Amino acid sequence: KNQVEQSPQSLIILEGKNCTLQCNYTVSPFSNLRWYKQDTGRGPVSLTIMTFSENTKSNGRYTATLDADTKQSSLHITASQLSDSASYICVVSASGNNRLAFGKGNQVVVIP
Amino acid sequence: ETGVTQTPRHLVMGMTNKKSLKCEQHLGHNAMYWYKQSAKKPLELMFVYNFKEQTENNSVPSRFSPECPNSSHLFLHLHTLQPEDSALYLCASSQVAQGSYEQYFGPGTRLTVT
């Protein structure tokens, strides 16, 4: 079983609407969690990084939350734009370990 | 050139061919990585190099052979591949090979094995 599970696998939203992506992880001990955005035909690009003590972090219209107790994170996209169409990948790092645990990604399609 | 570049962007090869993927980072980093990305699956780490030394081989078949001549360049030599090796191959770099450091990814090479 993968250490990082993301839901929903895919979703379609209307331009201008909001959406929330979920990430549940079992990685322990926890070091940090990153959300990456991967456009089609491109490599992933980091959106946010959250450490144990952080609950919320924003990057423009993207807001990530972290609940380290329940091992859950979410990425909220506000007022979606067509350019938000991409795969959003949750990546978790364990303390004292070089290895990263990747989710399968949330595929988001924004339609006009 | 900035960031992490990869060439070629697309590659089609037969099972008996030999080809190489190239990655170059312009960020002054000391760690470089090869990942395989297949549809509907998480990124799979293949190899890690830290200060030019291979520190991780994630049980990758020997038909994939990495080479890291210096901290800025990374190659993946391919020979006698199988159709199931078709995937997007991503290169990444970070300051050092430690999970707390952000990895910067290249655009990837889309490989098709026929």
Side-chain angles (χ1 to χ4, degrees):
Chain A
K1 185 171 163 61
N2 198 25
Q3 290 184 294
V4 179
E5 297 288 345
Q6 293 186 241
S7 62
Q9 181 178 337
S10 62
L11 75 161
I12 299 173
I13 58 174
L14 288 174
E15 186 178 11
K17 297 296 186 183
N18 304 334
C19 72
T20 300
L21 313 176
Q22 299 290 343
C23 173
N24 296 340
Y25 62 91
T26 58
V27 174
S28 182
F30 175 83
S31 175
N32 61 68
L33 182 148
R34 286 190 172 91
W35 282 94
Y36 278 85
K37 178 187 180 189
Q38 185 175 19
D39 293 313
T40 301
R42 298 286 200 176
V45 175
S46 179
L47 292 175
T48 64
I49 175 174
M50 303 190 73
T51 57
F52 187 87
S53 59
E54 295 174 304
N55 299 119
T56 303
K57 184 170 282 189
S58 292
N59 178 359
R61 294 178 297 101
Y62 300 103
T63 299
T65 67
L66 174 66
D67 185 334
D69 291 330
T70 62
K71 298 188 176 181
Q72 296 180 323
S73 176
S74 67
L75 182 69
H76 186 76
I77 304 176
T78 303
S80 61
Q81 300 177 358
L82 297 179
S83 59
D84 293 330
S85 295
S87 178
Y88 293 84
I89 304 172
C90 179
V91 185
V92 185
S93 172
S95 297
N97 188 328
N98 295 336
R99 196 73 76 88
L100 301 178
F102 291 83
K104 293 181 182 180
N106 305 100
Q107 187 66 46
V108 174
V109 176
V110 181
I111 59 175
Chain B
E1 288 275 17
T2 58
V4 181
T5 58
Q6 290 186 243
T7 55
R9 293 295 308 277
H10 301 272
L11 177 62
V12 179
M13 60 185 289
M15 289 190 284
T16 58
N17 291 158
K18 287 185 181 181
K19 297 286 184 183
S20 295
L21 309 185
K22 179 183 176 182
C23 175
E24 184 173 0
Q25 59 94 3
H26 310 268
L27 301 168
H29 289 164
N30 298 296
M32 297 189 77
Y33 312 76
W34 279 118
Y35 287 92
K36 177 183 179 182
Q37 187 176 36
S38 304
K40 311 290 187 189
K41 294 174 73 174
L43 267 72
E44 300 171 52
L45 178 66
M46 300 175 72
F47 302 102
V48 180
Y49 279 83
N50 200 31
F51 294 92
K52 300 191 299 179
E53 298 297 319
Q54 187 181 121
T55 57
E56 193 149 352
N57 175 339
N58 194 22
S59 302
V60 180
S62 59
R63 57 185 183 269
F64 295 91
S65 175
E67 179 189 0
C68 188
N70 55 62
S71 292
S72 298
H73 294 86
L74 186 64
F75 296 89
L76 188 62
H77 304 299
L78 316 171
H79 64 98
T80 58
L81 294 191
Q82 305 299 310
E84 60 265 29
D85 296 323
S86 298
L88 181 69
Y89 288 85
L90 291 164
C91 173
S93 71
S94 63
Q95 189 62 48
V96 292
Q98 205 176 90
S100 58
Y101 289 90
E102 179 179 347
Q103 292 186 22
Y104 294 78
F105 287 84
T109 295
R110 173 67 63 184
L111 174 67
T112 302
V113 182
T114 60

